[in-house]
Amino acid sequence: MKILKFGGTSVGSINSIQTLLDILKQEKGEKPVVVLSAMSGVTNLLIAMAEGAAKGNDFTAELAELERRHFEVVKSLLDIQNQNPAFTRLKIHFNQLEELLQGVLTLKELTPKTRDLVLSFGERCSTVMISKIAAQHFPEALFVDASELIKTDSTFGQAKVNMKLSEQLIRGFYAENKGKMLFVTGFIAGNDERQITTLGRGGSDYTAAIFGSALNANSIEIWTDVNGMMTADPRMVKKAFSLPELTYTEAMELSYFGAKVIYPPTMIPAFLKKIPIVIKNTFEPEFEGTVIQHVCKASNLPIKGISSIDGISILNLEGSGMVGKSGFSGRLFSLLAREQINIILITQSSSEHSITFAVQPADAERAKSFIEQEFELELLANKLEKPEIEQNLAVLAVVGENMKQTPGVSGKLFHALGRNGVNVRAIAQGSSEYNISVIISAHDLAKALNAVHDAFFIQLTKTLHAFCLGTGNIGKTLFKQLNAHTEFLQEHNGIQVKIAGISNTRKMVFDADGISLDTWEEELQASDEKADLKGFIAQMKNMNLPNCVFVDNTASPKPVEFYEEVFNSNISVVTCNKIGNSGLYSQYKAFKDAARSHGVDFFYETNVGAGLPIIRTLKDLMGSGDRVQRIEAILSGTISFIFNNFKGDANFHDVVKMAQEKGYTEPDPRDDLRGTDFMRKILILARDAGYKFEAADVEIESMLPKACLDAATVDDFYAALKAEDAFFADLKNKAEASGKVLRYIGKLENGKAAITLQMVDESHPFFTLSGSDNIISFTTDRYKERPLVVKGPGAGAEVTAAGVFADLINVGAN
Ligand code: ADP
Ligand code: ASP
Ligand code: MG
């Protein structure tokens, strides 16, 4: 025989009740016992009505709504001739409820006893209604008021069940009604005086387990609105997935720490009788759901799930009075137990100097004042400090029996939290090692759950949330590349990049679920948020998303001012903007330090040679203990292009003009020819190679005669260049005569950096450089016979965007 329990949403609408009947029709063999919850939202509505009435608020509108919801179901699902008896039964209940609430309103008082009585109408109405509907298909259907069978003490709101007596009563009743199909009210019970009590919020699951235990059921099925017990609450973690199996202990731990899909006490009667609990989805009945049982198949997951309780408070007790005093915690916890204050979690430092425990916020003040009374003498003698309450916290717990034999579980947990800037206030690990719980700020909970989920369930894709600044050539191309590679990235790298924010100099737009890479331009255009860099950063911080990256695709100094703030918010930075790293050394150092101290990444591969692996190569050389002896490089695509075309009959003026026409130069070509941009790259390389250089430490030999440099306008510059034709022709001829070519080369050696115009012969690795390519050679302690050379296209939107893309993926991999 089976117990089938249907939760609030499963009885919450006409459609779901029809599905429920279909599920019952599939049942073969012995008639199941059906346990029902109140219709979804009804228990909350009853609480609101009762608490409102106690404050003098009118409840007629809510009562009418309650009637309407039940009557609507009766009208749709009962044949017309059967409707009247149902209306009459329900109406009696609603009249009783109205009288009761009227009493509360008059007295302006709501006792726990009355509250339970009010709440009982939720389950009583739904069960009466559904048993009548079911009777049309199952003539043996029988309504059962569980308050007659489940007997409890008088702890209203959370009554303690007398299992022995209840089981006897249930068995007796079942035997008397053999062959009947019982429809039992969940959640409610009764005390010795036949007063109604309740089993705690979510308690219908427990009702099912009590019946299951009494009747030695083969299984207890909990029908709800999700595909079983999942790795996390699917409302908080979109990537949560269903678990086929769990042990009672695992299910207990997960539900105790907030996985509301099953009420924790449910597991005990099932565990004692070894009755499997199966969690199924009413809205997807074919899905297997989750089986909770004694032994599970071996699983390779280090943890089974992550759950959380939002909105808790902690109390901190500190003082020398605790050290070595064996009775202290005994006194403390007996006191709290006596006052019925439920403790969610306890941690004690090994010095015994402090105890921290978590309670529901509603209990915090009470707990504090009880402690102050109990420990008055210790407080007076300064052996104990006044207890402190901290609010707005949450518990996050990772759970799984495999944790015991898997090293590194807590390392992974704390790494994910740390990297995302989630501060851990207290930690508790059950000695059973089935659970590690941390207390964090409630504000960080969603981020923490998702980050921890990503960290543990690596078979899923990891989501990066990117906030992108700049929609010029590089920004645009990056979005195009990301769009084209979405599937590949998920499949091969296990990474999904969501663009959570975009801004250019005019507008900005945000979407935590990811802005579409097909329509981002239209969305940005249509946004009514004006661009505001400060606001952009603030919004990025506020959204508090996990695995967050700030992508600066501008060439502006303004975003650079915010880098430190971004790092300090535990957000990684990826940028092609050279201004940050080529400013003052102190700034460069501050970025590095901030990123390191917050455990986030600062990737800027495209600062030098666009997408070519130059920065990364240098970093790997340095990181593996190698030291740079010499770096030689041509890192200006523009200048490469000019010298590669300045041969034979060509004159310098025409080649520069052509380079400009092809879009290879800055609007004023002198910005390239002066070597400033090249200098920045050499400076960044020198710094990454360990030198504390400022810009002035890089000597630049200008390749332009003074007249060209001094020209007032671009046109004047070209005129001056023309006038200097002979000078350039002379350089070229000299080079060609000796079988050499002209190259503008940056060099770092012996603590000196310089950029000079040189003539090199064919033995030099830079001799054959073609087009607008970049080249760099590293001579190091390890690569000293022949240098390590990186060469290839070092400019252009495609390769630069690809470099930014690669940096982004590297953040994802960390
Ligand atoms: P019912 O009314 O059927 O008893 P509940 O609302 O009590 O349903 O419980 C189901 C809800 O539990 C789901 O809708 C889901 O949002 C929440 N939940 C929280 N944690 C988990 C989890 N780990 N797995 C599945 N559901 C969870
Ligand atoms: N209706 C009750 C509640 O909402 C019991 C339950 O649904 O399990 O808490
Ligand atoms: Mg429930």
Side-chain angles (χ1 to χ4, degrees):
M1 195 268 297
K2 278 207 273 190
I3 312 287
L4 269 65
K5 176 263 172 178
F6 292 89
T9 36
S10 306
V11 300
S13 69
I14 295 162
N15 278 342
S16 65
I17 296 172
Q18 273 168 330
T19 316
L20 175 161
L21 294 172
D22 291 339
I23 294 167
L24 293 182
K25 283 178 200 160
Q26 303 289 317
E27 286 303 317
K28 307 275 176 295
E30 222 177 324
K31 296 273 168 296
V33 171
V34 183
V35 176
L36 301 173
S37 282
M39 292 178 84
S40 52
V42 165
T43 308
N44 285 343
L45 192 66
L46 289 166
I47 293 176
M49 283 157 85
E51 288 179 351
K55 288 189 201 129
N57 298 340
D58 179 55
F59 52 81
T60 34
E62 287 96 334
L63 190 63
E65 170 62 11
L66 215 58
E67 274 196 33
R68 193 196 58 73
R69 278 189 66 188
H70 288 83
F71 285 5
E72 185 185 60
V73 173
V74 170
K75 278 186 211 143
S76 309
L77 297 180
L78 268 177
D79 297 339
I80 196 109
Q81 70 276 15
N82 296 332
Q83 287 182 9
N84 263 343
F87 283 139
T88 312
R89 280 285 296 274
L90 287 171
K91 196 68 200 168
I92 293 171
H93 279 333
F94 291 129
N95 288 343
Q96 288 169 338
L97 175 62
E98 186 176 8
E99 255 173 54
L100 189 61
L101 289 170
Q102 198 56 54
V104 174
L105 187 71
T106 313
L107 293 171
K108 298 239 171 37
E109 187 193 44
L110 178 67
T111 61
K113 182 162 95 186
T114 310
R115 195 174 190 270
D116 271 4
L117 186 55
V118 170
L119 293 195
S120 72
F121 284 93
E123 267 67 13
R124 288 196 280 165
C125 290
S126 68
T127 310
V128 158
M129 178 179 81
I130 292 172
S131 65
K132 290 209 173 287
I133 296 168
Q136 295 186 149
H137 308 273
F138 312 100
E140 63 285 9
L142 180 68
F143 166 79
V144 181
D145 184 338
S147 65
E148 308 276 342
L149 303 177
I150 299 182
K151 289 295 159 194
T152 67
D153 68 2
S154 296
T155 319
F156 295 98
Q158 188 96 43
K160 198 167 171 309
V161 177
N162 178 338
M163 272 311 257
K164 209 164 157 212
L165 177 59
S166 305
E167 292 201 351
Q168 265 171 19
L169 291 170
I170 292 169
R171 266 184 229 126
F173 183 87
Y174 187 74
E176 278 167 30
N177 293 282
K178 228 32 279 101
K180 290 269 163 52
M181 187 160 171
L182 308 186
F183 286 81
V184 183
T185 54
F187 182 50
I188 64 174
N191 65 8
D192 289 347
E193 295 161 68
R194 307 197 69 200
Q195 291 162 334
I196 296 260
T197 58
T198 60
L199 302 177
R201 290 304 305 271
S204 297
D205 300 334
Y206 192 25
T207 308
I210 297 167
F211 270 75
S213 167
L215 302 175
N216 290 317
N218 299 329
S219 74
I220 300 164
E221 292 186 356
I222 305 290
W223 289 82
T224 181
D225 57 0
V226 279
N227 277 338
M229 178 76 95
M230 307 178 80
T231 48
D233 185 344
R235 279 174 308 185
M236 308 273 278
V237 179
K238 293 219 175 71
K239 284 185 255 173
F241 57 93
S242 314
L243 295 158
E245 283 189 315
L246 284 173
T247 64
Y248 294 110
T249 319
E250 288 169 333
M252 181 83 173
E253 296 276 343
L254 279 170
S255 59
Y256 178 75
F257 284 99
K260 164 183 186 221
V261 64
I262 190 156
Y263 184 52
T266 312
M267 260 64 73
I268 296 160
F271 169 82
L272 292 174
K273 292 256 171 111
K274 298 199 171 148
I275 304 171
I277 301 174
V278 188
I279 306 181
K280 300 265 299 175
N281 188 351
T282 305
F283 304 92
E284 210 181 315
E286 321 71 51
F287 192 85
E288 291 147 4
T290 304
V291 185
I292 302 170
Q293 56 198 350
H294 248 294
V295 205
C296 292
K297 278 194 231 75
S299 146
N300 54 4
L301 296 176
I303 64 162
K304 287 287 179 68
I306 307 156
S307 57
S308 62
I309 309 174
D310 199 357
I312 57 142
S313 300
I314 57 177
L315 270 100
N316 250 323
L317 281 183
E318 267 187 64
S320 57
M322 280 187 241
V323 185
K325 279 258 189 294
S326 51
F328 185 88
S329 33
R331 254 170 84 200
L332 173 65
F333 295 118
S334 319
L335 163 74
L336 297 171
R338 202 163 60 231
E339 301 301 340
Q340 305 235 352
I341 291 172
N342 182 36
I343 301 163
I344 300 171
L345 172 155
I346 306 167
T347 68
Q348 177 170 31
S349 68
S350 56
S351 68
E352 291 188 51
H353 194 258
S354 74
I355 295 184
T356 301
F357 60 92
V359 294
Q360 294 293 344
D363 291 334
E365 281 298 339
R366 283 177 55 228
K368 181 172 183 231
S369 63
F370 288 131
I371 292 168
E372 282 170 356
Q373 285 164 30
E374 172 78 26
F375 295 98
E376 200 184 352
L377 292 178
E378 285 84 350
L379 282 162
L380 276 173
N382 283 333
K383 287 192 169 158
L384 193 66
E385 298 188 12
K386 244 176 147 19
E388 270 178 42
I389 301 180
E390 281 185 69
Q391 315 269 24
N392 303 324
L393 300 171
V395 187
L396 178 151
V398 297
V399 171
E401 292 194 352
N402 269 1
M403 260 158 62
K404 245 194 303 205
Q405 54 261 24
T406 318
V409 171
S410 51
K412 201 172 265 184
L413 168 68
F414 293 114
H415 179 253
L417 293 172
R419 209 177 139 79
N420 282 282
V422 179
N423 188 22
V424 176
R425 314 294 285 274
I427 305 165
Q429 174 170 29
S431 55
S432 60
E433 280 195 61
Y434 295 152
N435 168 329
I436 305 174
S437 316
V438 292
I439 295 184
I440 59 177
S441 152
H443 171 70
D444 286 332
L445 181 58
K447 175 165 85 169
L449 280 170
N450 282 284
V452 172
H453 197 271
D454 268 357
F456 279 103
F457 300 110
I458 45 166
Q459 70 274 38
L460 303 175
T461 46
K462 175 171 177 180
T463 305
L464 285 187
H465 291 98
F467 287 81
C468 302
L469 220 54
T471 59
N473 258 341
I474 296 171
K476 262 199 190 109
T477 312
L478 174 67
F479 293 154
K480 212 186 297 156
Q481 293 177 352
L482 280 169
N483 203 10
H485 291 92
T486 307
E487 270 159 40
F488 184 87
L489 268 183
Q490 294 209 3
E491 208 167 299
H492 295 269
N493 300 63
I495 291 174
Q496 175 194 34
V497 181
K498 284 190 179 172
I499 307 296
I502 303 178
S503 178
N504 56 22
T505 48
R506 297 170 295 281
K507 294 277 185 76
M508 53 188 193
V509 64
F510 301 93
D511 185 349
D513 288 329
I515 300 162
S516 156
L517 287 169
D518 291 318
T519 57
W520 68 268
E521 266 180 299
E522 290 84 344
E523 283 181 51
L524 185 63
Q525 187 85 36
S527 168
D528 40 23
E529 284 197 71
K530 275 227 176 70
D532 158 26
L533 193 51
K534 217 173 150 97
F536 187 80
I537 306 283
Q539 176 73 353
M540 170 173 77
K541 283 163 62 177
N542 242 336
M543 285 167 77
N544 208 15
L545 297 169
N547 308 320
C548 196
V549 193
F550 176 64
V551 184
D552 175 10
N553 280 329
T554 72
S556 151
K558 291 201 189 103
V560 173
E561 291 168 23
F562 292 91
Y563 284 8
E564 263 191 271
E565 180 182 345
V566 172
F567 290 128
N568 292 341
S569 314
N570 287 79
I571 296 174
S572 296
V573 174
V574 165
T575 184
C576 60
N577 187 348
K578 286 185 270 296
I579 294 179
N581 281 329
S582 59
L584 289 178
Y585 178 80
S586 55
Q587 176 179 272
Y588 163 90
K589 176 88 168 47
F591 293 161
K592 294 260 162 168
D593 290 349
R596 190 175 307 127
S597 72
H598 288 89
V600 292
D601 294 317
F602 179 30
F603 290 152
Y604 46 87
E605 180 61 74
T606 48
N607 277 190
V608 179
L612 295 177
I614 294 174
I615 298 285
R616 198 166 305 146
T617 303
L618 178 55
K619 185 174 164 199
D620 289 347
L621 290 173
M622 300 289 294
S624 61
D626 203 354
R627 285 296 165 260
V628 169
Q629 296 179 354
R630 183 170 65 243
I631 290 177
E632 274 188 296
I634 294 181
L635 294 171
S636 163
T638 316
I639 301 175
S640 285
F641 178 86
I642 290 171
F643 283 125
N644 279 326
N645 286 282
F646 184 42
K647 53 189 170 201
D649 295 338
N651 73 60
F652 198 70
H653 167 275
D654 293 353
V655 175
V656 175
K657 195 105 209 179
M658 172 173 79
Q660 176 155 38
E661 278 157 10
K662 284 195 185 275
Y664 284 141
T665 70
E666 295 295 320
D668 184 339
R670 282 175 296 182
D671 288 342
D672 299 298
L673 297 172
R674 225 182 251 128
T676 327
D677 187 60
F678 197 169
M679 177 279 290
R680 287 192 178 130
K681 294 173 185 169
I682 293 291
L683 179 61
I684 295 170
L685 286 170
R687 287 175 174 175
D688 278 5
Y691 294 99
K692 292 183 182 160
F693 276 7
E694 297 294 352
D697 293 323
V698 184
E699 267 175 54
I700 310 178
E701 178 196 343
S702 173
M703 70 173 87
L704 294 178
K706 191 165 178 321
C708 298
L709 288 171
D710 291 348
T713 64
V714 175
D715 286 341
D716 293 349
F717 157 70
Y718 273 113
L721 204 55
K722 188 126 209 115
E724 296 284 357
D725 242 6
F727 166 79
F728 289 105
D730 185 43
L731 276 178
K732 183 184 67 183
N733 294 338
K734 261 199 199 131
E736 283 177 355
S738 53
K740 294 182 176 170
V741 289
L742 289 170
R743 295 287 182 247
Y744 200 42
I745 299 177
K747 190 163 164 184
L748 174 72
E749 192 172 23
N750 299 329
K752 282 206 162 54
I755 302 171
T756 50
L757 189 61
Q758 296 181 28
M759 292 179 198
V760 301
D761 63 25
E762 62 186 338
S763 69
H764 196 281
F766 294 2
F767 181 81
T768 53
L769 196 70
S770 61
S772 60
D773 278 5
N774 280 194
I775 188 162
I776 183 161
S777 78
F778 296 99
T779 308
T780 67
D781 291 355
R782 276 186 214 133
Y783 292 94
K784 61 176 175 251
E785 302 299 320
R786 279 173 302 125
L788 186 162
V789 178
V790 180
K791 175 180 156 190
E798 278 294 331
V799 285
T800 309
V804 175
F805 192 160
D807 276 352
L808 204 51
I809 301 314
N810 273 324
V811 175
N814 284 346

